Coordinates of all heavy atoms in Angstrom, one line a residue:
V283 N -14.5 -17.6 -3.0 CA -15.9 -17.3 -2.8 C -16.7 -18.5 -2.7 O -16.4 -19.5 -3.3 CB -16.4 -16.3 -3.9 CG1 -16.4 -17.1 -5.3 CG2 -17.8 -15.7 -3.5
E284 N -17.8 -18.4 -1.9 CA -18.7 -19.6 -1.7 C -20.1 -18.9 -1.8 O -20.4 -18.0 -1.2 CB -18.6 -20.2 -0.4 CG -19.6 -21.3 -0.2 CD -19.6 -21.9 1.2 OE1 -18.8 -21.4 2.0 OE2 -20.4 -22.8 1.5
V285 N -20.9 -19.5 -2.8 CA -22.3 -19.1 -2.9 C -23.2 -19.7 -1.8 O -23.2 -20.9 -1.7 CB -22.9 -19.4 -4.3 CG1 -24.4 -19.0 -4.4 CG2 -22.1 -18.9 -5.4
L286 N -23.8 -18.9 -1.0 CA -24.6 -19.4 0.1 C -26.1 -19.4 -0.3 O -26.9 -20.2 0.1 CB -24.5 -18.5 1.4 CG -23.1 -18.4 2.0 CD1 -23.0 -17.6 3.2 CD2 -22.5 -19.8 2.2
A287 N -26.5 -18.5 -1.1 CA -27.9 -18.4 -1.6 C -27.9 -17.6 -2.9 O -27.1 -16.7 -3.2 CB -28.8 -17.7 -0.6
P288 N -28.9 -17.9 -3.8 CA -29.9 -19.0 -3.7 C -29.3 -20.4 -3.9 O -28.2 -20.5 -4.5 CB -30.9 -18.6 -4.8 CG -30.0 -17.9 -5.9 CD -29.0 -17.2 -5.1
T289 N -30.1 -21.4 -3.6 CA -29.6 -22.7 -3.6 C -29.3 -23.2 -5.0 O -28.4 -23.9 -5.3 CB -30.6 -23.7 -2.9 OG1 -31.9 -23.5 -3.5 CG2 -30.7 -23.4 -1.4
W290 N -30.1 -22.8 -6.0 CA -29.9 -23.2 -7.4 C -28.7 -22.6 -7.9 O -28.0 -23.3 -8.7 CB -31.2 -22.9 -8.3 CG -31.4 -21.4 -8.4 CD1 -32.2 -20.6 -7.7 CD2 -30.7 -20.5 -9.4 NE1 -32.1 -19.3 -8.2 CE2 -31.2 -19.2 -9.2 CE3 -29.7 -20.7 -10.4 CZ2 -30.8 -18.2 -10.0 CZ3 -29.3 -19.7 -11.1 CH2 -29.8 -18.4 -10.9
L291 N -28.3 -21.4 -7.5 CA -27.1 -20.9 -8.0 C -25.9 -21.5 -7.3 O -24.8 -21.8 -8.0 CB -27.0 -19.3 -7.7 CG -25.9 -18.6 -8.2 CD1 -25.7 -18.7 -9.7 CD2 -25.9 -17.1 -7.8
R292 N -26.0 -21.9 -6.1 CA -24.9 -22.5 -5.3 C -24.7 -23.9 -6.0 O -23.5 -24.3 -6.3 CB -25.3 -22.8 -3.9 CG -24.3 -23.6 -3.1 CD -24.8 -23.8 -1.7 NE -23.9 -24.8 -1.0 CZ -22.9 -24.4 -0.3 NH1 -22.6 -23.1 -0.3 NH2 -22.1 -25.2 0.3
A293 N -25.8 -24.7 -6.4 CA -25.6 -25.9 -7.0 C -25.0 -25.8 -8.4 O -24.1 -26.7 -8.8 CB -27.0 -26.6 -7.1
Q294 N -25.3 -24.8 -9.1 CA -24.8 -24.6 -10.5 C -23.3 -24.3 -10.5 O -22.5 -24.8 -11.2 CB -25.6 -23.5 -11.2 CG -25.2 -23.3 -12.7 CD -26.1 -22.3 -13.4 OE1 -27.0 -21.8 -12.8 NE2 -25.9 -22.2 -14.7
I295 N -22.9 -23.3 -9.5 CA -21.5 -23.0 -9.5 C -20.7 -24.2 -9.0 O -19.6 -24.5 -9.4 CB -21.3 -21.8 -8.6 CG1 -21.9 -20.6 -9.2 CG2 -19.8 -21.5 -8.3 CD1 -21.3 -20.1 -10.5
G296 N -21.3 -24.9 -7.9 CA -20.6 -26.0 -7.4 C -20.4 -27.1 -8.5 O -19.3 -27.8 -8.6
S297 N -21.4 -27.4 -9.3 CA -21.3 -28.4 -10.4 C -20.2 -28.0 -11.3 O -19.4 -28.8 -11.8 CB -22.6 -28.5 -11.1 OG -22.5 -29.5 -12.2
E298 N -20.1 -26.7 -11.7 CA -19.1 -26.2 -12.6 C -17.7 -26.4 -12.0 O -16.7 -26.9 -12.8 CB -19.3 -24.8 -12.9 CG -20.5 -24.5 -13.8 CD -20.7 -23.0 -14.1 OE1 -19.8 -22.2 -13.6 OE2 -21.7 -22.7 -14.8
L299 N -17.5 -26.1 -10.8 CA -16.2 -26.3 -10.1 C -15.8 -27.8 -10.0 O -14.6 -28.1 -10.2 CB -16.3 -25.7 -8.7 CG -16.4 -24.1 -8.7 CD1 -16.5 -23.6 -7.3 CD2 -15.1 -23.4 -9.3
Q300 N -16.8 -28.6 -9.8 CA -16.5 -30.0 -9.8 C -16.0 -30.5 -11.1 O -15.0 -31.3 -11.2 CB -17.7 -30.8 -9.3 CG -18.0 -30.7 -7.9 CD -19.3 -31.4 -7.5 OE1 -20.0 -31.9 -8.3 NE2 -19.7 -31.3 -6.2
R301 N -16.7 -30.1 -12.2 CA -16.2 -30.5 -13.6 C -14.8 -29.9 -13.9 O -14.0 -30.6 -14.5 CB -17.3 -30.0 -14.6 CG -18.6 -30.7 -14.5 CD -19.4 -30.5 -15.8 NE -19.7 -29.1 -16.1 CZ -20.7 -28.4 -15.6 NH1 -21.6 -28.9 -14.9 NH2 -20.8 -27.1 -16.0
A302 N -14.6 -28.7 -13.5 CA -13.3 -28.1 -13.7 C -12.2 -28.8 -12.9 O -11.1 -29.1 -13.5 CB -13.3 -26.6 -13.2
A303 N -12.5 -29.2 -11.7 CA -11.5 -30.0 -10.9 C -11.2 -31.3 -11.6 O -10.1 -31.8 -11.6 CB -12.0 -30.2 -9.5
A304 N -12.3 -32.0 -12.1 CA -12.1 -33.3 -12.8 C -11.3 -33.1 -14.0 O -10.4 -34.0 -14.3 CB -13.5 -33.8 -13.2
Q305 N -11.4 -32.0 -14.8 CA -10.6 -31.8 -16.0 C -9.2 -31.6 -15.6 O -8.3 -32.1 -16.3 CB -11.1 -30.5 -16.7 CG -12.4 -30.8 -17.4 CD -13.0 -29.4 -18.1 OE1 -12.5 -28.4 -17.8 NE2 -14.0 -29.5 -19.0
Y306 N -8.9 -30.8 -14.5 CA -7.5 -30.6 -14.2 C -6.9 -31.9 -13.7 O -5.7 -32.2 -13.8 CB -7.4 -29.6 -13.1 CG -7.5 -28.2 -13.6 CD1 -8.6 -27.5 -13.7 CD2 -6.3 -27.5 -14.1 CE1 -8.7 -26.1 -14.2 CE2 -6.3 -26.3 -14.6 CZ -7.5 -25.6 -14.7 OH -7.5 -24.3 -15.2
A307 N -7.7 -32.8 -13.0 CA -7.2 -34.1 -12.5 C -6.8 -34.9 -13.7 O -5.8 -35.6 -13.6 CB -8.2 -34.7 -11.6
E308 N -7.6 -35.0 -14.7 CA -7.4 -35.8 -15.9 C -6.1 -35.3 -16.6 O -5.3 -36.2 -17.1 CB -8.6 -35.8 -16.9 CG -9.8 -36.4 -16.3 CD -11.0 -36.2 -17.2 OE1 -10.9 -35.6 -18.2 OE2 -12.1 -36.8 -16.8
R309 N -5.9 -34.0 -16.8 CA -4.8 -33.5 -17.5 C -3.5 -33.7 -16.8 O -2.4 -33.8 -17.4 CB -4.9 -31.9 -17.7 CG -6.1 -31.6 -18.5 CD -5.9 -31.9 -20.0 NE -7.1 -31.6 -20.8 CZ -7.4 -30.3 -21.3 NH1 -6.5 -29.4 -21.1 NH2 -8.4 -30.1 -22.0
S310 N -3.6 -33.9 -15.5 CA -2.3 -34.1 -14.6 C -1.8 -35.5 -14.7 O -0.7 -35.8 -14.2 CB -2.5 -33.7 -13.2 OG -3.6 -34.5 -12.6

């Protein structure tokens, strides 16, 4: 799923996914 609107919710979910991806990268 991709949030298209509102922009603040898109930014918030995107930021969370980036942090999650970084955590998985560190653990690997």
Side-chain angles (χ1 to χ4, degrees):
V283 65
E284 177 188 0
V285 180
L286 302 182
T289 55
W290 65 264
L291 182 60
R292 176 184 175 87
Q294 187 171 3
I295 295 295
S297 177
E298 289 180 1
L299 291 175
Q300 289 174 359
R301 293 198 302 271
Q305 287 177 346
Y306 278 95
E308 292 174 358
R309 297 286 177 90
S310 63

